[in-house]
Amino acid sequence: MAIREAEPVGSLREVKEAGLDREDLLGIYRNMVITRGIEERGHILYKQGKIPGSFYTGRGNEASAVGVATAMGANDVGTPLHRDMGVHVTRGVEPWRIFAQYMGRSDGPTHGRDGNVHMADSNLGLLAMVSHLPAMLPVAVGCALAFRIREENRVAVGWYGEGASARGDAHEAMNFAGVRQLPVVFICDNNQWAYSTPTHLEYACEHLADRAQAYGFDGVVVDGTDVLAVYREAKRAIEKARTGGGPTLIESLTLRMEGHAVHDDAFYVPKEMFEEWAKSDPIERYRSWLNAHADMTQDEEDEILGGVKRLLNEALARAEESPLPDAGKLTDGVFATPEDLDTPHHK
Amino acid sequence: MAIREAEPVGSLREVKEAGLDREDLLGIYRNMVITRGIEERGHILYKQGKIPGSFYTGRGNEASAVGVATAMGANDVGTPLHRDMGVHVTRGVEPWRIFAQYMGRSDGPTHGRDGNVHMADSNLGLLAMVSHLPAMLPVAVGCALAFRIREENRVAVGWYGEGASARGDAHEAMNFAGVRQLPVVFICDNNQWAYSTPTHLEYACEHLADRAQAYGFDGVVVDGTDVLAVYREAKRAIEKARTGGGPTLIESLTLRMEGHAVHDDAFYVPKEMFEEWAKSDPIERYRSWLNAHADMTQDEEDEILGGVKRLLNEALARAEESPLPDAGKLTDGVFATPEDLDTPHHK
Amino acid sequence: MAEKTYLQAISDGLREEMRRDKRVFVIGEDVGVYGGAFKVTLGFQEEFGAWRVIDAPLSETAIVGGCTGAAIMGMRPVAEMQFADFISCAWDQLVTVAAKQRWRAGTPVPITVRLPSGGGFSGGPFHSQNPESSFAHIPGLKVICPATPEDAKGLLASAIQDPNPCLYFEHKHLYRRIKAEVPDERYETPFGKARVHQEGDDLSVITWGAMVYTAEEAAQQLDGDDVSVEILDLRTLIPWDKQAVLESVRKTSKVLVLHEDTHTGGFGGEIAATIAEEAFEDLDAPVKRITAPDTPVPFSPGLEKAFIPQVEDVVAGLRDLAAY
Amino acid sequence: MAEKTYLQAISDGLREEMRRDKRVFVIGEDVGVYGGAFKVTLGFQEEFGAWRVIDAPLSETAIVGGCTGAAIMGMRPVAEMQFADFISCAWDQLVTVAAKQRWRAGTPVPITVRLPSGGGFSGGPFHSQNPESSFAHIPGLKVICPATPEDAKGLLASAIQDPNPCLYFEHKHLYRRIKAEVPDERYETPFGKARVHQEGDDLSVITWGAMVYTAEEAAQQLDGDDVSVEILDLRTLIPWDKQAVLESVRKTSKVLVLHEDTHTGGFGGEIAATIAEEAFEDLDAPVKRITAPDTPVPFSPGLEKAFIPQVEDVVAGLRDLAAY
Ligand SMILES: Cc1ncc(C[n+]2csc(CCOP(=O)(O)OP(=O)(O)O)c2C)c(N)n1
Ligand SMILES: Cc1ncc(C[n+]2csc(CCOP(=O)(O)OP(=O)(O)O)c2C)c(N)n1
Ligand SMILES: [Mg+2]
Ligand SMILES: [Mg+2]
């Protein structure tokens, strides 16, 4: 039971060993660009008054989210949070549906009933987050429990922030997962702030990954701006869980590069901290790596960026055409009917 | 931040260093004998049908409870649980009031409103437990917070069982206490069973004291049948907390020597386990120590045992005279009035 | 048909569901080797194994949250709270996650939480509560309160097969005290259909759980008074059978709502308010409520008796109503 | 007297209590440097220091449980929930420990929990709830729901000095929208005394919080109808001013109970049931309830509008009543 600090990823060879070919590598880049693009466009929509309520982004967390999601198998499931847009993108949620979600339209995954990243497509193996942090961790553990009972080779991935690590749900989930050695991987997105609260007011150990010891499984700290290192660690942990090796806690270190939400200018974050972390912007960092190690050409890059631009333009247009939800149906579906169980899981 | 396994106490000198003179040592013995006596008599009362509801004892935990309580200062406070009768006894709750509590009479600390060890005399610095485990830990931390805010040299002691360690309240309490380095000591009464559930189904680390690391403070494992070792460790931890050194987690190892409650014959506990632990019965063990190291004479011992017998006989008689509560007053005091604040704390 | 206690009916019903549906598993504190605090799952672990009868750590949030996840993955979890009182430790998982997930995200959460509830044996403030009203206020949760062995079995089967989070309150005071015929075959008792425990013409008592028997005894004591009392056992609070209640009120024009939970904000208020709104013109007397007073549940037997509505309280209430 | 927003009145009132009573401290997530999610405690940490304005970890249970312990040790803690919705994570501490401690063990727990609640700004299911009814059912908790800046200040002072656990629901939709004169000096607004927001003779509206203004607008729209509407603002739900409600009903004989929380099991049921029981003979029409429907709070503006009772809903309800 050792807490490990993961090495950065150096070479293409290393990455190949971890199971990624060149096409995968470019796909990861594309997913990161889409992720940031969705949130940047969302921000504009918000300023245009087209997004009701509040608005959150995960800038700085693209590598972490996409890296983990890339490591997940098709039948694995996960409970991503408000900084993990990259998970939805990587699992294949179409961007226009996300814009529709932002704007409260009927084609968003929650059909205008919930907003922001409070959504998921359960057909893609994702469970919609609730605001209450980290209430989805026990739920992720429950998914793993189902896999264990049925002896399926599937893994559940549960996300939480370093701030949310203070809540009892994190403890109960990890303790139970450890006792039963369930196939679950915990991803702690440690972006160093919980709203305005710095880490030393949230926890008093050095690394949150240290806590894995308290629950009888492995912990590892990874640089969350290094998408390939995140991928490698997530892959290891997921395959370990899949083969009966029990849970892993991965602490992914980043900085939240914007305010908590759109209304927050993050005045409390030291400027130098932003400057320092801006140097390891996950997308820039990965782009350089692709140039240096995977010979990504300018043409390839342009094609990706251009393609993403088109995708998002079309997505926006399509989302704006999505109708507002019908208020007459407000009270439908408070309770499920047997037909609702017609999902891949309930067969 | 090291997890320590505490040495047993060997000599009188060692104990003197820890602040106990010979009179104290005999007093500890007396308190342990009273504690067991109360619970044994309670059991008889129960069989006689004089105690309504259920009935719990802390047999095997007398050293742990009395040891910690002896280490507490007069102004310190604590939240003992259902195995910690020795804490009430040591802090000076009169046995007749405990019998009255058992029997639901109006002179019990809760005046018949609650039963069992769900009671406390707040004038003696104790807070009445609730059933929900370990909900009193955040409360104990809150007491410590008050002491810290007012810069008082007081310490709060919070008890919990190894089973209850699995609940979120334990985590939130310890995390907050660690972050703020509050003057609180956590006592984990690890009696190896949570009702019928063995430790390996409750947690997956070696010692629960290991978890102190996760919260940024010290942990220590002590043999809970060695009253002097418990005392010494509690004293160290309490004085450390008092002088600004922050929390400590003490895991006190014992075996629950009876069923969970009176209705439970503990069939699930291996017989050998009981036999093994019976050899280190806390009272027997301490009596031998007193004989060997403190020259306790037969006369002294007889006096103590005889005195306790008389005390408990009188207590029983007095408790049985205590009237049943007046049902007409059932609804009084759901809400406090300003006069209720006329306590040492609210001056 | 065989005569069974309420407890045995629950136990047999649960075993039957586990035998016929592999998705059903049981999780809770001490449900395995020990068979649960009330022995409902005695012998289950031997029959179904340690992964379908799971001894959980003392972690109500992990239990309920875990059931939610497993249910979304297609299982039919049945969680046991050791006492209903401890469900307060999983409140957030129920109201925040389980209750809202279908409506928000389209994901049904078919879990059943078994809740040994109610007083009458000096369990004190933390082993005697009837927290059904708290949950009945949360959209998305179903609330089930069987009073008879037959219903206990049939409603449990319905709860387990229902695609929603179901809170199944089993009244501890009925466990061994109430014995009745229970059909041998499997059946599901539908939610939202009240049961006429006793027909009558002059007064209606609307109640559930252990209070059904208190009402029955009270009605018997009124035999000499020449008033006939109808007793409606709601069986489920969410959904509750408004139609049956309104019909009974239309017939009798006088109604007593009776529950063991405390008064203010108790579910009796919802029922009384609904009657007052929708059967206003049928009423010949104010809708009366008899409930526990607004205190925690007391330990000492005399106090507990003063807390839980007693037969004589109901007799007095019915006489008041009859005389109105 | 100065004109202040509801938010400013809360902030000023809290600062004043902290200045005059050293036992008062504030604890919550981001209440320090950031001044709280809604800036109620902006500048407080500079004035009172980091040990009286405590940035807590994301731990509602530790916050509320911690306040309980500190209160028993003689402090007067004021906890801030970032949104009222998150109090579900401290449910057990409130109902199990804080609510019952005085009655069981004689230990008062003088804590105040500030709860920014209510919808109207597309906060969605988890940032818009009105959970006051859930707590109003638990004996031992006081429930406070100010509607005006003046009451916001005075009721906060009372809550902080009250020897009981007080849940202080501050409605977010009133924060900056409602502005009114607030006395400069310190004062305590008593609990359990309703405020006549507007006198009237024909219909009574019983309500609280943001719905007071919805009722007011609705009453204005009835001006041409020649019916005069009395609006009673309960101000506190526990204790609630039954006397004032019954008096108003006696005067008007027709009553509408209005709240923003969901219908079934909402506190409106308690009020309506009480009226139906205790003012039965004074009623000329059924007691009507207008509430949110039984769903979570929706995000999309059109849905939210359909969820929160609107002026036109109240107008229609009042017209129905008037015509009865
Ligand atoms: C139980 C709970 N309490 C309070 C909040 C309000 N809140 C939303 S995000 C947040 C900070 C979360 O910090 P962290 O877990 O580090 O995640 P991050 O936002 O930094 O990704 C808070 C306090 C919440 N969502 N849930
Ligand atoms: C939150 C909660 N859930 C369930 C229970 C029921 N219960 C009472 S004692 C107990 C076992 C406690 O084990 P442990 O913490 O080890 O304490 P011990 O009784 O062994 O001293 C359980 C499950 C409870 N009291 N509180
Ligand atoms: Mg963070
Ligand atoms: Mg134990």
Side-chain angles (χ1 to χ4, degrees), chain C residues 32-247:
Chain C
V33 172
Y34 197 74
F38 298 97
K39 304 288 182 191
V40 168
T41 56
L42 192 65
F44 279 40
Q45 201 173 57
E46 279 142 40
E47 177 169 354
F48 302 106
W51 283 103
R52 281 186 74 202
V53 183
I54 303 176
D55 275 317
L58 207 166
S59 295
E60 282 75 10
T61 287
I63 293 169
V64 172
C67 286
T68 299
I72 295 175
M73 291 301 106
M75 301 297 286
R76 287 293 179 279
V78 180
E80 173 176 299
M81 292 291 109
Q82 200 150 83
F83 284 80
D85 310 70
F86 300 127
I87 193 62
S88 52
C89 300
W91 173 259
D92 181 57
Q93 278 292 330
L94 282 168
V95 311
T96 299
V97 187
K100 298 181 173 56
Q101 210 68 0
R102 164 65 191 84
W103 184 88
R104 284 171 65 233
T107 325
V109 180
I111 65 176
T112 299
V113 185
R114 289 185 36 240
L115 298 150
S117 59
F121 51 94
S122 286
F126 304 115
H127 291 77
S128 311
Q129 294 173 89
N130 297 279
E132 62 262 19
S133 304
S134 296
F135 294 99
H137 178 51
I138 307 297
L141 302 177
K142 295 198 175 176
V143 176
I144 298 123
C145 302
T148 69
E150 180 173 345
D151 286 351
K153 178 175 159 185
L155 289 170
L156 183 59
S158 296
I160 292 172
Q161 296 304 326
D162 193 278
N164 294 285
C166 292
L167 299 172
Y168 179 92
F169 291 86
E170 39 192 73
H171 200 293
K172 300 189 295 292
H173 200 46
L174 305 181
Y175 270 163
R176 295 184 174 87
R177 204 167 54 98
I178 297 299
K179 226 176 166 164
E181 298 281 296
V182 176
D184 294 324
E185 74 282 6
R186 180 180 184 274
Y187 56 94
E188 293 185 14
T189 305
F191 292 169
K193 290 247 157 270
R195 183 181 62 87
V196 180
H197 185 74
Q198 150 175 333
E199 278 203 72
D201 297 314
D202 304 323
L203 303 168
S204 301
V205 180
I206 316 297
T207 191
W208 60 89
M211 286 296 112
V212 167
Y213 303 95
T214 305
E216 180 183 324
E217 281 188 56
Q220 279 162 8
Q221 294 202 14
L222 287 189
D223 271 357
D225 291 34
D226 196 31
V227 286
S228 103
V229 179
E230 175 145 306
I231 299 174
L232 216 58
D233 168 11
L234 285 185
R235 303 207 275 198
T236 60
L237 297 193
I238 303 291
W240 68 282
D241 193 348
K242 198 168 79 173
Q243 253 17 73
V245 169
L246 295 178
E247 265 164 45

Side-chain angles (χ1 to χ4, degrees), chain A residues 28 36 105 145 185 202 214 327:
Chain A
I28 288 174
R36 182 167 295 174
R105 304 302 175 92
L145 179 63
V185 174
E202 295 283 357

